[in-house]
Amino acid sequence: EARLASPDATTVAPVATSTMAAAAEAPGHAAAKAAVKAVGGVDDKATVRAAAAAAVAGSALTDEHGSDIRIAMIGNVDSGKSTLVGCLSRSVVDDGRGRARSMVFRHAHEQENGRTSSVGMEVMGFSSEDKVLSVDVKAPRQKLWRDVRARSHKAITFLDLCGHEKYLKTTVFGLTGMLPDYGMVVVGANMGVSKMTKEHMGIAAALRLPIVVVITKIDLAPERVFEKTVKSVTKTLKAIRRMPHPLRSLDQVPAAAKGMASGKV
């Protein structure tokens, strides 16, 4: 669990990227890969094509550099998953009006309603000094991916999954067929832990997927509401038999990343 500011705040990227950089050094969880199964009824052909492209790109990156991890972004709709992915993968600060998420949405209707309905994929590269690589935010997605792959010492692939209940089957497809190594549960401080957040966390736990909880939009939540959300997150983690490990500074990140490998933190 990490108390982060709203996705439009400059404090998001340093904490999150440090956590991911440390996680890249931790061993992946093979049990998640062993749980892969076919999920019927995914009608979005673009999602299936994206899955194939992700598999090819991920394999090439791993073969060349030997260090690529996949993070599945899960949590309720409107919690800020796509915005967070946009901020991290493009190294931009959101303007509060959807700038960051518009860089990662793949369909016109997603741009219009601001909600993910398919499996998105974005790449974040690191240099040999663990510095986040800068990218050309105006470059086409495929060109950007090739550029990141060519320059990265290690990388993180973000799988931006759906938060709305009617797209749950697509989210399950992403959690199984896309072979994530970790799950990032995004919770809006002003929204609390919703039914779908609990559903996503339960699925991740069933797949034995190590998870990290990121609380966003704390600038929109009064202190009392924020504290209630933290308590709800803690309660939900305990319900799926995961021990909460709050992060209060960057110095605590390496120990937390190693602890995640146990499957209980």
Side-chain angles (χ1 to χ4, degrees), residues 233-244:
V233 168
T234 300
K235 182 178 179 180
T236 305
L237 286 171
K238 290 180 178 179
I240 61 174
R241 299 184 179 180
R242 298 293 177 89
M243 180 179 68

Side-chain angles (χ1 to χ4, degrees), residues 56-68:
V56 173
S59 298
L61 189 59
T62 302
D63 291 343
E64 183 176 353
H65 302 284
S67 184
D68 176 36

Side-chain angles (χ1 to χ4, degrees), residues 3-236:
R3 175 174 179 171
L4 300 182
S6 169
D8 63 354
T10 56
T11 55
V12 168
V15 177
T17 54
S18 296
T19 304
M20 295 304 109
E25 298 295 345
H29 207 294
K33 293 179 175 59
V36 176
K37 58 183 178 181
V39 179
V42 179
D43 299 322
D44 185 357
K45 294 181 180 179
T47 293
V48 177
R49 287 196 297 269
V56 173
S59 298
L61 189 59
T62 302
D63 291 343
E64 183 176 353
H65 302 284
S67 184
D68 176 36
I69 63 171
R70 297 187 180 188
I71 310 293
M73 307 294 290
I74 54 179
N76 193 48
V77 63
D78 297 332
S79 59
K81 299 184 297 298
S82 297
T83 297
L84 184 55
V85 170
C87 289
L88 295 176
S89 64
R90 298 299 196 276
S91 297
V92 299
V93 177
D94 190 49
D95 60 0
R97 296 187 295 275
R99 179 196 177 206
R101 71 188 183 196
S102 69
M103 295 179 179
V104 300
F105 281 154
R106 298 169 50 238
H107 301 294
H109 65 270
E110 293 178 334
Q111 297 283 2
E112 293 172 0
N113 60 32
R115 294 179 176 178
T116 302
S117 62
S118 59
V119 178
M121 172 185 161
E122 297 298 331
V123 180
M124 181 180 183
F126 294 84
S127 68
S128 57
E129 292 80 27
D130 287 341
K131 302 295 183 181
V132 179
L133 297 179
S134 59
V135 297
D136 180 4
V137 297
K138 296 182 180 180
R141 182 176 279 110
Q142 291 184 352
K143 182 178 183 300
L144 186 149
W145 289 351
R146 288 195 298 267
D147 178 63
V148 171
R149 188 184 71 178
R151 296 189 294 127
S152 296
H153 175 68
K154 56 187 176 183
I156 293 173
T157 299
F158 291 105
L159 306 175
D160 189 17
L161 305 182
C162 317
H164 199 284
E165 184 175 2
K166 70 178 181 178
Y167 301 123
L168 179 60
K169 191 174 291 186
T170 301
T171 298
V172 173
F173 169 75
L175 284 171
T176 54
M178 301 293 281
L179 306 179
D181 298 294
Y182 299 88
M184 181 182 289
V185 184
V186 182
V187 179
N190 59 329
M191 302 165 62
V193 180
S194 67
K195 173 186 174 182
M196 287 311 301
T197 300
K198 294 178 181 179
E199 194 80 25
H200 289 180
M201 293 175 72
I203 294 171
L207 293 171
R208 299 182 182 179
L209 196 65
I211 61 176
V212 56
V213 179
V214 177
I215 299 178
T216 60
K217 304 185 179 182
I218 63 173
D219 55 330
L220 300 179
E223 188 66 24
R224 176 180 57 82
V225 175
F226 172 77
E227 294 299 335
K228 182 178 179 181
T229 297
V230 172
K231 290 180 181 179
S232 297
V233 168
T234 300
K235 182 178 179 180
T236 305

